Amino acid sequence: MATYFVRPRLLLLLLTLSAVRVLGAGLGINYGQLADDLPTPSRVSVMLQSLNVSRLKLYDANPKVLLAFSNSNVEFIVGIGNEYLQDMADPVKAQNWVQQNLQPYLAQTKITCISVGNEVFMSNDTQSWSNLLPAMKMLYKTLVNLGLDKQVIVTTAHPYTIIGNSYPPSSGTFRQDIIEYMHAILDFHSQTKSPFLINAYPFFAYKDSPNQISLEYVLFQPNQGMTDPNTNLHYDNMLYAQVDAVYSAIKAVGHTDIEVKISETGWPSKGDPSEVGSTLQNAELYHSNLLKRIQKKEGTPAKPSVPIDIYVFALFNENLKTGPTSERNYGLFYPNGTPVYNIGLQSNVPGIIYSSASNIKAPSTFFSLVIFVIAYLIHA
């Protein structure tokens, strides 16, 4: 009987491939597309599947993206823009949206959630505030009528500014001007068993008060942390404190049965001079340390048995985003598919080589390595 063994160099290569794919497991990423230089969705699909990224959040229901990820293991949150909230409260328009933007793709693409609107309470548009819940309810009713409610849930993503008081975490409360809306939205979540999504950015807190907030505390670096005087729970990072403040705010209005998930968090690699802390080094530290926490599947101090569910913002730098420089520099990747910095996830898998001029794609490094392994085995 022949004896087979793996040569040391090949073993190292195989271990590297395995490690990179394990790092991507469980990672959620926001796939924004406000740019004119991004690779095609099909290229992104190859790239992310090679990294084993399992969850993506869109801000629309882009059919090209949904088709590109057909028969993959990637789960999607699709979005509906704030401008459509009033329409979605109409039963006919809500059903048309689901039948045109959701149903055609469900057999091949794993769409598990609709996020209705985005950060609606960030603006002062009280009409949008009023339209949000009716839109959520009508879309949920439409899913029920079509027999899709067990497959797709309905929620919305909130800005962290919905929290009026966040310190200490056990004293978290919602802003008083939106408390009536929060009551009704939380009742909906409780009834439909859907999660409460929050966009939490410790970067903003540090940027606004760099002399009062420890950089190590917001970057998950070793630090003294803080202890909640009411619960004696210790926090070694701001993100978890923010999440527990949201749990406290939810509890304060009578609910303990709703899970909080982070629909956005991130750190910009570049910013304006006034945007303190917006450096490549800090972005690398924030995301690499956050990825380590995700891999541990740990909960927050107040919810230690509930692994925190996180979507990082964002997949690419987006050059058409308005606002300060930081807005265009939250990406983990440049549009050509190379990493902005090394967080361990993509150190050996830079993704794709993309040329807008030639429109030619080279295979991802992961698949190049697979080809190399096969060739190595053949010629060994």
Side-chain angles (χ1 to χ4, degrees):
M1 183 173 65
T3 301
Y4 297 93
F5 64 92
V6 180
R7 298 186 181 185
R9 186 164 60 128
L10 178 58
L11 178 61
L12 177 62
L13 181 57
L14 291 172
L15 289 174
T16 298
L17 293 174
S18 176
V20 170
R21 288 185 62 77
V22 168
L23 278 171
L27 177 65
I29 302 180
N30 284 269
Y31 181 7
Q33 297 167 76
L34 290 177
D36 58 11
D37 56 355
L38 298 182
T40 63
S42 60
R43 294 182 174 119
V44 175
S45 175
V46 172
M47 169 185 167
L48 293 186
Q49 290 183 74
S50 72
L51 287 169
N52 201 27
V53 170
S54 61
R55 297 176 300 148
L56 284 179
K57 177 170 165 283
L58 303 179
Y59 293 89
D60 55 16
N62 189 319
K64 293 182 180 179
V65 173
L66 298 177
L67 284 172
F69 282 85
S70 294
N71 302 311
S72 73
N73 290 319
V74 178
E75 292 186 5
F76 277 91
I77 296 176
V78 297
I80 295 178
N82 295 352
E83 65 272 26
Y84 300 112
L85 292 179
Q86 187 170 355
D87 285 348
M88 290 304 100
D90 180 277
V92 174
K93 292 179 179 178
Q95 180 166 314
N96 287 341
W97 188 92
V98 170
Q99 290 180 326
Q100 293 172 15
N101 296 281
L102 199 70
Q103 269 191 308
Y105 310 101
L106 284 175
Q108 291 82 31
T109 305
K110 294 184 178 180
I111 304 170
T112 59
C113 178
I114 302 172
S115 182
V116 185
N118 185 55
E119 298 191 329
V120 172
F121 295 104
M122 177 72 84
S123 74
N124 294 320
D125 182 0
T126 54
Q127 187 58 53
S128 291
W129 296 8
S130 298
N131 290 335
L132 177 57
L133 184 58
M136 293 169 68
K137 286 183 173 180
M138 186 55 66
L139 282 161
Y140 175 73
K141 182 178 180 180
T142 300
L143 293 173
V144 171
N145 292 340
L146 295 173
L148 301 174
D149 56 300
K150 304 302 182 186
Q151 186 175 352
V152 183
I153 58 175
V154 175
T155 186
T156 186
H158 299 285
Y160 198 73
T161 53
I162 61 171
I163 301 298
N165 179 64
S166 62
Y167 185 86
S170 60
S171 298
T173 56
F174 291 116
R175 286 175 7 214
Q176 285 303 305
D177 61 324
I178 61 171
I179 195 72
E180 62 178 295
Y181 298 98
M182 288 295 108
H183 265 288
I185 288 173
L186 288 165
D187 286 343
F188 171 82
H189 286 306
S190 179
Q191 292 162 8
T192 62
K193 310 301 180 186
S194 53
F196 189 90
L197 304 186
I198 192 78
N199 296 344
Y201 289 85
F203 165 71
F204 294 141
Y206 178 76
K207 174 181 70 70
D208 293 339
S209 304
N211 296 323
Q212 286 74 45
I213 297 175
S214 162
L215 182 60
E216 290 74 21
Y217 183 61
V218 294
L219 293 179
F220 302 92
Q221 292 287 86
N223 67 96
Q224 293 183 347
M226 59 83 65
T227 299
D228 189 314
N230 300 323
T231 61
N232 287 324
L233 294 175
H234 183 75
Y235 292 84
D236 64 0
N237 70 85
M238 178 176 282
L239 185 66
Y240 287 13
Q242 290 181 327
V243 172
D244 279 351
V246 176
Y247 271 120
S248 295
I250 292 173
K251 185 177 181 180
V253 295
H255 287 283
T256 58
D257 58 342
I258 297 168
E259 183 179 355
V260 175
K261 297 188 178 187
I262 299 177
S263 43
E264 287 184 21
T265 191
W267 197 285
S269 58
K270 186 188 298 184
D272 295 325
S274 60
E275 296 183 289
V276 181
S278 55
T279 67
L280 190 145
Q281 181 183 16
N282 287 342
E284 180 175 348
L285 283 171
Y286 184 82
H287 289 100
S288 60
N289 288 333
L290 177 62
L291 184 58
K292 292 174 185 175
R293 298 297 183 109
I294 292 173
Q295 294 303 314
K296 291 180 180 178
K297 300 185 185 301
E298 63 185 10
T300 63
K303 297 282 185 178
S305 62
V306 182
I308 192 164
D309 196 349
I310 298 173
Y311 284 77
V312 171
F313 184 87
L315 183 55
F316 295 109
N317 283 342
E318 299 172 67
N319 65 354
L320 297 183
K321 294 198 73 174
T322 58
T325 298
S326 63
E327 286 294 314
R328 293 172 290 284
N329 290 279
Y330 274 93
L332 298 177
F333 294 89
Y334 293 111
N336 67 2
T338 58
V340 176
Y341 40 78
N342 173 26
I343 64 170
L345 173 66
Q346 68 274 29
S347 59
N348 295 297
V349 186
I352 56 177
I353 300 171
Y354 175 73
S355 170
S356 58
S358 62
N359 203 34
I360 296 173
K361 178 194 72 170
S364 71
T365 301
F366 177 82
F367 291 115
S368 297
L369 288 172
V370 171
I371 293 168
F372 175 80
V373 170
I374 295 171
Y376 188 95
L377 288 170
I378 292 172
H379 297 291

